[in-house]
Amino acid sequence: GERYQQLFIDEFQDTSQQQWNNLQPFVQDMMGSGGQVLLVGDAKQAIYRWRGGDVAQFMTLFHKGLQKTPGFELRQLEENWRSLPEVVNFNNRFFTHCAEILSGDPLHAELYSHAFQAPKKQAEGGLVEIRRPEHEVNTNAEFSTWQAGELIALLKELIEEKKYLPKDIALLYRSKNSAVQLIPQLQEAGFQVASEQGEEMESCAEVRFL
């Protein structure tokens, strides 16, 4: 508090209780001596619960814990300048739906009900599409086969019909295991795939043979 007068903590939604307990003396010291503290986070993006991240702490802190603190100001980013309108509007509909089905969980229902953003990017376009199996899938192997078939058909449509270049297409996987299962099937279908897993020596057939 004697050396620094400004404190900035980003991704606060993933802060654990222990981390926040360690930081509070600095926060209190700075705010008590005229300094400024900026805490930034998005509770919807909390992904570190497995290592102690406590999103409830973040939400409770902003909605109840700091409201009586002198000089406290809560700002919500209500405009989205990053994504295309179709993507932003999909998110608005999605989180509104989440708020409705989570009505029995007041904390998260309140979070999702305030997730609306106005798209500010001038360009038109963007697409969000959700595909689900038309038949019942009972095993991971069956789902992987269905997923690979859908992905291969989609890639062919993008490249052959809509004239996208392969280098402009990126695939995001839920986990490395998903990538390991899908990449060989994409390669067998004739697609060249650049991936972290593909660059590993154990992915090379010649190395495995030796």
Side-chain angles (χ1 to χ4, degrees), residues 138-169:
N138 298 314
T139 65
N140 289 335
E142 290 179 356
F143 178 78
S144 179
T145 300
W146 170 84
Q147 187 179 40
E150 287 287 312
L151 189 54
I152 290 170
L154 177 60
L155 289 172
K156 288 182 177 179
E157 177 186 341
L158 291 174
I159 296 171
E160 297 173 4
E161 298 180 18
K162 298 188 176 180
K163 306 304 179 183
Y164 280 85
L165 297 176
K167 68 181 182 67
D168 294 328
I169 300 174

Side-chain angles (χ1 to χ4, degrees), residues 25 31 38 40 44 51 62 77-78 143 147 154 171 179 207:
M31 296 185 72
L38 176 62
V40 179
K44 301 188 305 301
R51 73 166 193 188
F62 278 84
L77 300 182
E78 298 178 348
F143 178 78
Q147 187 179 40
L154 177 60
L171 305 177
V207 171

Side-chain angles (χ1 to χ4, degrees), residues 7-134:
L7 178 65
F8 168 57
I9 304 176
D10 198 8
E11 304 292 354
F12 194 83
Q13 74 276 358
D14 290 317
T15 302
S16 69
Q17 291 186 0
Q18 182 178 6
Q19 289 170 327
W20 179 231
N21 289 338
N22 292 336
L23 290 167
Q24 281 190 66
F26 295 100
V27 171
Q28 294 170 354
D29 195 29
M30 284 186 185
M31 296 185 72
S33 59
Q36 296 178 314
V37 179
L38 176 62
L39 308 178
V40 179
D42 183 349
K44 301 188 305 301
Q45 297 184 29
I47 57 173
Y48 283 101
R49 187 175 181 178
W50 55 273
R51 73 166 193 188
D54 186 358
V55 67
Q57 170 185 247
F58 168 74
M59 295 165 64
T60 303
L61 182 68
F62 278 84
H63 289 287
K64 298 178 182 178
L66 290 176
Q67 297 287 8
K68 298 180 181 179
T69 303
F72 171 76
E73 181 180 359
L74 176 63
R75 291 189 183 183
Q76 184 150 337
L77 300 182
E78 298 178 348
E79 299 176 340
N80 188 311
W81 294 83
R82 174 185 292 179
S83 303
L84 290 171
E86 193 65 35
V87 176
V88 178
N89 291 330
F90 168 81
N91 287 339
N92 290 336
R93 294 192 299 269
F94 176 78
F95 287 115
T96 299
H97 177 66
C98 288
E100 293 173 355
I101 63 176
L102 290 173
S103 57
D105 181 350
L107 194 65
H108 287 84
E110 181 182 1
L111 162 67
Y112 293 134
S113 64
H114 290 86
F116 183 88
Q117 287 189 314
K120 301 298 290 187
K121 212 166 188 178
Q122 297 300 318
E124 296 182 357
L127 172 69
V128 178
E129 183 178 12
I130 299 175
R131 299 188 180 188
R132 299 173 61 183
E134 295 180 356

